Amino acid sequence: NENKQILIKQIQALTEGGATNFHAGFQQAFDALERTIQQEYTSGCNVAILFMTDGVNTAGPETDEVLQLIKNGTQRLATQYDRDRDTKIFTFSLGTQADRLVTKEIACSTNGIWTPVDDFDGDLVGAMASYYKLFASGLGNETDFTTWVEPYEFISSADRECKASRAVDMV
């Protein structure tokens, strides 16, 4: 109960402000992926980055440098670890103020998917879960085929998670 009250006070003390730096976010993502692959916490056959923003890139390098970082990062993952790794970036523009042009361009640069999520009636959980469908579709010829992802480490903590995905026919 005491921890809950502390958390509530911290949330209530939050103020609006700050900046959005796409380049720094992608740099951290690629660094985390490389650590995960080096430590063999993943098969790494398919790599996904889920990128969410509720704003526009207001700090750090411009769009061209962000796209170059993504190109270099995906090429490095594809070649450096003796495997062809296919890295896809799924971008989510959260709310009407969020960037839509650059996030589309980022997703398209890796054959990923861009998804807008409305302010009030958007289904963020459903939108974010949809990337599993891309990896699950076409992986098996049987309708009961399930894809398992090896455990991976979260960038924000030492926690590890394993996922399973399956293509579902929607009628």
Side-chain angles (χ1 to χ4, degrees):
N1 196 6
E2 181 181 339
N3 287 339
K4 184 177 176 182
Q5 292 305 315
I6 291 171
L7 184 58
I8 289 171
K9 286 181 182 179
Q10 288 177 341
I11 291 171
Q12 291 172 340
L14 291 174
T15 58
E16 184 179 320
T20 301
N21 185 332
F22 289 6
H23 192 277
F26 281 109
Q27 185 63 60
Q28 285 187 358
F30 284 113
D31 290 347
L33 285 167
E34 287 193 31
R35 279 193 313 275
T36 301
I37 292 167
Q38 289 168 352
Q39 295 169 359
E40 297 181 353
Y41 287 154
T42 179
S43 66
C45 298
N46 292 301
V47 177
I49 297 173
L50 280 63
F51 178 76
M52 297 176 285
T53 183
D54 63 351
V56 295
N57 190 29
T58 59
E62 297 294 322
T63 302
D64 290 344
E65 288 185 58
V66 173
L67 292 170
Q68 188 62 47
L69 171 69
I70 291 168
K71 180 180 178 183
N72 293 343
T74 56
Q75 287 176 345
R76 191 170 52 251
L77 290 174
T79 59
Q80 188 170 3
Y81 300 101
D82 299 325
R83 279 198 154 151
D84 286 333
R85 284 182 165 73
D86 186 19
T87 302
K88 296 200 182 312
I89 299 177
F90 299 84
T91 60
F92 303 89
S93 299
L94 308 178
T96 57
Q97 300 299 313
D99 181 281
R100 291 176 179 243
L101 296 176
V102 175
T103 50
K104 283 181 190 179
E105 191 172 358
I106 289 169
C108 288
S109 74
T110 63
N111 294 316
I113 297 173
W114 166 75
T115 306
V117 180
D118 291 334
D119 284 319
F120 300 106
D121 60 353
D123 178 12
L124 178 59
V125 173
M128 291 186 69
S130 67
Y131 83 95
Y132 287 113
K133 294 176 189 173
L134 182 69
F135 287 121
S137 66
L139 293 178
N141 295 328
E142 300 177 27
T143 58
D144 62 350
F145 182 81
T146 302
T147 302
W148 289 91
V149 177
E150 291 187 35
Y152 57 91
E153 187 174 325
F154 288 100
I155 190 169
S156 60
S157 70
D159 294 339
R160 293 177 66 191
E161 186 169 300
C162 181
K163 297 281 186 190
S165 60
R166 179 181 193 156
V168 177
D169 288 330
M170 302 300 285
V171 183

